Amino acid sequence: PAAQPRAEGGPPAPPPPPTPTREKADEAFAAYQQALWRHIAARRPRGAGLSGEATLRFRLSPSGALLSAAIAGSSGSANLDRIALRTLRLASPMPAPPVGVSAERLTFTLPVRFH
């Protein structure tokens, strides 16, 4: 498109918004993941009386809604696996990811440890 002429003496056009570098985007995503893990861990029930680790795989929407969740690695205890999935559901909605994160990056695998 052709540039629009501006009136003499008018304010200058604002500069274009800065584009984040790949490194900064990766740093923002890593910080988001840590915040997400803390958010989920805060909902983990205490005193389950069992110990073990279940690995969850889940997918989020761009708004942070839980779209799907499954056990990717069983703890060996059906009760712990259920508690791990319930923890994830109780944590939903999750914090929204940084702007510009592709949907492909919104699938996560997370170990949930119980002591």
Side-chain angles (χ1 to χ4, degrees):
Q4 297 276 332
R6 65 181 173 93
E8 286 288 319
T19 56
T21 64
R22 176 76 175 167
E23 185 177 309
K24 286 189 189 260
D26 287 344
E27 286 174 13
F29 187 74
Y32 170 69
Q33 274 188 301
Q34 292 303 310
L36 188 59
W37 295 172
R38 285 190 303 273
H39 178 82
I40 294 166
R43 274 96 184 143
R44 188 177 59 221
R46 306 288 180 238
L50 302 169
S51 64
E53 178 179 296
T55 302
L56 303 175
R57 179 166 292 125
F58 61 98
R59 191 166 55 98
L60 300 178
S61 74
S63 68
L66 183 63
L67 297 175
S68 65
I71 297 292
S74 176
S75 66
S77 164
N79 284 336
L80 272 185
D81 292 350
R82 277 194 295 272
I83 292 169
L85 281 170
R86 187 172 11 150
T87 298
L88 194 59
R89 290 184 183 109
L90 288 172
S92 185
M94 313 282 179
V99 174
V101 172
S102 67
E104 295 80 34
R105 291 190 82 183
L106 295 178
T107 298
F108 301 94
T109 302
L110 174 68
V112 179
R113 293 178 188 93
F114 297 91
H115 308 309

